[in-house]
């Protein structure tokens, strides 16, 4: 049972790596003259009002069609004009992600990579033996190995991975240099155990011009960092207590874990039954450790509504017209609950569904939707 519990904590929050602009194009209004406007201009001309009205409609329609086609073609030209240097940055990278599919920190990284249309290979790690990451002294996931020419860099911690890659895409600095901006630091956690943390992990290492292009102002940058950290420090800790809330939910969660993970037959059976029982009990301790309410669903609902309130009603995403790193982080954490009772309850009892579906659509359309400036 102890082994199964360790396995479960590896797949859900607590054992994963701690913490981890398609700039919205405003299409110009079509230049379509109204019938009333042309009729007014022609009102002094008596004798052929119907003919003039027909001519006005034809001219207005032609102008509208002209500008529609013009802007459509211009959009295609702009997409074709992706800065060659920036495009080569992403195309040169060969990325390999070592992960547990049901890990929320790993899900955050996949959301980022998918939204930025960065191709990558996935290596599913066996959560018991972890032989797939025996090359690494860092024994948590996600781990991202980035091959850039003859240089290979290992990036640890989901937030470091995201910040480093985003810095690389925006600034063009080599990853070999960027990783030095996020130094690992040893520290003791609340249980007195030594853990590895990383400095600056929510900070993009950009110069003033790059930062201004990406964020527009300091407030947007600060907001993004604040909510990325909130996703790591609070939201992620609501997942386990909610998916293991009852024995039935714990069993359903482990059925999902075994189905999506990399297990042998014996390991899978142990994980599904022994692990479900163990994590149901452990979830009670997690609830106490994080000072959650008796009904942990209420904490999940409050968190979802707090996020929606922060995004507000005047923008589709916290990033404005396109998701920013905070949007992708929150989405990535919540996505691992899809198909489980906790996720369905959250969708029914909070206001998060519309935002969630917008992010899902943005990620699905990302490879064909990016236009100049999307790196920023």
């Amino acid at each position: 049972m102890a082994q199964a519990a360790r396995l479960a904590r590896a797949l859900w929050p607590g054992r994963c790596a701690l913490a981890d602009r398609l700039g919205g194009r405003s299409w110009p209004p079509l230049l379509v003259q109204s019938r009333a406007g042309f009729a007014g201009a022609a009102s002094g001309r008596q004798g052929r009002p119907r003919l003039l009205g027909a001519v006005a409609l034809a001219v207005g329609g032609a102008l509208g069609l002209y500008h529609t086609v013009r802007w459509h073609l211009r959009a295609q030209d702009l997409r074709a004009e992706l800065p060659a240097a920036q495009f080569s940055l992403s195309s040169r990278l060969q990325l390999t992600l070592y992960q547990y599919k049901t890990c929320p920190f790993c899900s955050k990284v996949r959301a980022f990579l998918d939204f930025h249309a960065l191709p990558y290979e996935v290596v599913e790690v066996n959560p018991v033996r972890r032989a797939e990451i025996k090359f690494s002294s860092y024994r948590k996931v996600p781990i991202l190995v980035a091959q850039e020419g003859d240089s290979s860099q290992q990036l640890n911690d989901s937030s470091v991975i995201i910040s480093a890659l985003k810095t690389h895409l925006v600034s063009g600095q080599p990853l070999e240099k960027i990783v030095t901006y996020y130094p690992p630091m040893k520290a003791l956690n609340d249980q007195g155990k030594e853990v590895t943390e990383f400095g600056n992990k929510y900070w993009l290492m950009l110069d003033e011009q790059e930062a201004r292009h990406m964020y527009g102002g300091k407030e947007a940058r600060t907001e993004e960092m604040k909510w990325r950290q909130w996703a790591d420090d609070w939201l992620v800790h609501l997942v386990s207590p909610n998916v293991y809330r009852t024995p039935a939910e714990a069993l359903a969660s482990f059925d999902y874990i075994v189905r999506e993970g990399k297990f042998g037959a014996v390991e899978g059976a142990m994980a599904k039954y022994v692990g479900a029982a163990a994590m149901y009990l452990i979830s009670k301790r997690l609830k106490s450790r994080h000072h959650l309410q008796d009904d942990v669903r209420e904490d999940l609902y409050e968190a979802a509504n707090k996020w929606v309130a922060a995004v507000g009603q005047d923008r589709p995403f916290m990033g404005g017209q396109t998701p920013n790193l905070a949007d992708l982080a929150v989405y990535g954490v919540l996505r691992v609950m899809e198909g489980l009772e906790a996720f369905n309850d959250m969708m029914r009892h909070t206001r998060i569904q519309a935002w969630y579906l917008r992010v899902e659509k943005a990620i699905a359309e990302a490879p064909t939707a990016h236009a100049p400036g999307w790196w920023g």
Side-chain angles (χ1 to χ4, degrees):
M1 180 173 287
Q3 184 185 44
R6 289 195 298 271
L7 162 67
R9 287 195 298 268
L11 292 168
W12 293 101
R15 299 285 293 188
C16 304
L18 286 175
D20 20 353
R21 179 173 32 150
L22 183 104
R25 279 196 65 82
S26 299
W27 289 94
L30 298 179
L31 182 57
V32 182
Q33 302 289 350
S34 69
R35 181 173 185 172
F38 277 104
S43 59
R45 299 175 182 270
Q46 302 297 325
R48 293 187 294 177
R50 294 182 180 178
L51 177 60
L52 289 174
V55 170
L57 284 175
V59 173
L63 283 171
L65 180 60
Y66 164 74
H67 282 279
T68 300
V69 173
R70 176 172 174 253
W71 281 105
H72 178 71
L73 292 176
R74 178 56 180 156
Q76 291 181 331
D77 290 342
L78 288 173
R79 291 189 182 96
E81 291 169 8
L82 280 172
Q86 288 186 334
F87 180 78
S88 66
L89 290 177
S90 59
S91 63
R92 285 203 312 265
L93 291 177
Q94 297 179 23
L95 304 177
T96 304
L97 177 64
Y98 295 84
Q99 68 155 23
Y100 307 140
K101 186 174 181 180
T102 57
C103 162
F105 297 107
C106 301
S107 180
K108 281 171 49 184
V109 174
R110 292 198 310 273
F112 171 86
L113 295 173
D114 292 342
F115 176 71
H116 289 81
L118 295 173
Y120 60 99
E121 295 183 6
V122 169
V123 176
E124 192 69 19
V125 176
N126 182 292
V128 177
R129 296 187 299 272
R130 291 186 290 180
E132 295 81 3
I133 56 173
K134 64 182 179 181
F135 64 87
S136 172
S137 59
Y138 183 83
R139 301 298 290 168
K140 298 177 181 179
V141 294
I143 293 172
L144 186 79
V145 175
Q147 187 77 29
E148 186 180 17
D150 295 330
S151 175
S152 179
Q153 300 297 321
Q154 178 179 326
L155 287 76
N156 306 320
D157 185 283
S158 59
S159 291
V160 171
I161 292 170
I162 290 168
S163 294
L165 285 179
K166 188 71 173 182
T167 297
H168 175 68
L169 292 174
V170 174
S171 70
Q173 300 175 65
L175 276 175
E176 184 176 7
K177 179 180 180 181
I178 292 172
V179 295
T180 65
Y181 302 149
Y182 304 97
M185 302 176 293
K186 300 293 184 180
L188 296 179
N189 63 14
D190 295 338
Q191 290 74 48
K193 181 180 178 181
E194 186 178 79
V195 296
T196 301
E197 268 292 355
F198 295 84
N200 309 318
K201 63 183 178 182
Y202 300 109
W203 192 266
L204 303 191
M205 300 303 176
L206 307 175
D207 64 28
E208 184 177 347
Q209 182 178 0
E210 292 162 347
R212 187 167 55 249
H213 171 70
M214 180 169 174
Y215 293 107
K218 293 182 179 179
E219 295 81 4
R221 188 176 197 173
T222 301
E223 181 183 51
E224 179 185 79
M225 293 171 64
K226 169 189 172 181
W227 288 98
R228 288 181 67 192
Q229 184 169 359
W230 174 82
D232 287 349
D233 291 351
W234 178 245
L235 184 63
V236 76
H237 295 299
L238 302 179
V239 176
S240 288
N242 273 278
V243 300
Y244 302 128
R245 186 182 62 154
T246 65
E249 287 182 88
L251 187 60
S253 297
F254 268 88
D255 182 63
Y256 168 67
I257 289 172
V258 171
R259 186 171 64 250
E260 298 295 335
K262 183 177 181 180
F263 295 91
V266 175
E267 292 171 342
M270 176 181 292
K272 183 173 180 179
Y273 296 104
V274 180
M279 284 310 297
Y280 168 69
L281 298 175
I282 290 173
S283 70
K284 305 306 178 185
R285 295 210 304 266
L286 294 174
K287 182 172 73 172
S288 175
R289 179 188 303 172
H290 298 295
H291 308 291
L292 305 183
Q293 301 178 56
D294 289 338
D295 184 356
V296 292
R297 282 289 197 276
E298 294 302 320
D299 292 289
L300 182 62
Y301 299 161
E302 287 179 10
N305 285 330
K306 182 177 183 179
W307 167 254
V308 173
V311 174
Q313 299 180 349
D314 298 330
R315 52 184 180 177
F317 308 102
M318 182 166 282
Q321 296 304 308
T322 190
N324 67 6
L325 299 184
D327 288 292
L328 297 174
V330 173
Y331 172 83
V333 169
L334 297 178
R335 180 173 59 177
V336 297
M337 297 190 295
E338 280 191 14
L340 300 177
E341 186 176 341
F343 182 86
N344 296 334
D345 286 347
M346 179 182 67
M347 289 296 166
R348 284 194 298 265
H349 297 290
T350 73
R351 303 186 301 274
I352 204 169
Q353 183 174 25
W355 167 86
Y356 188 91
L357 293 176
R358 286 195 296 268
V359 179
E360 185 175 64
K361 181 179 180 182
I363 292 175
E365 295 177 349
T368 57
H370 294 146
W374 69 271
W375 269 280

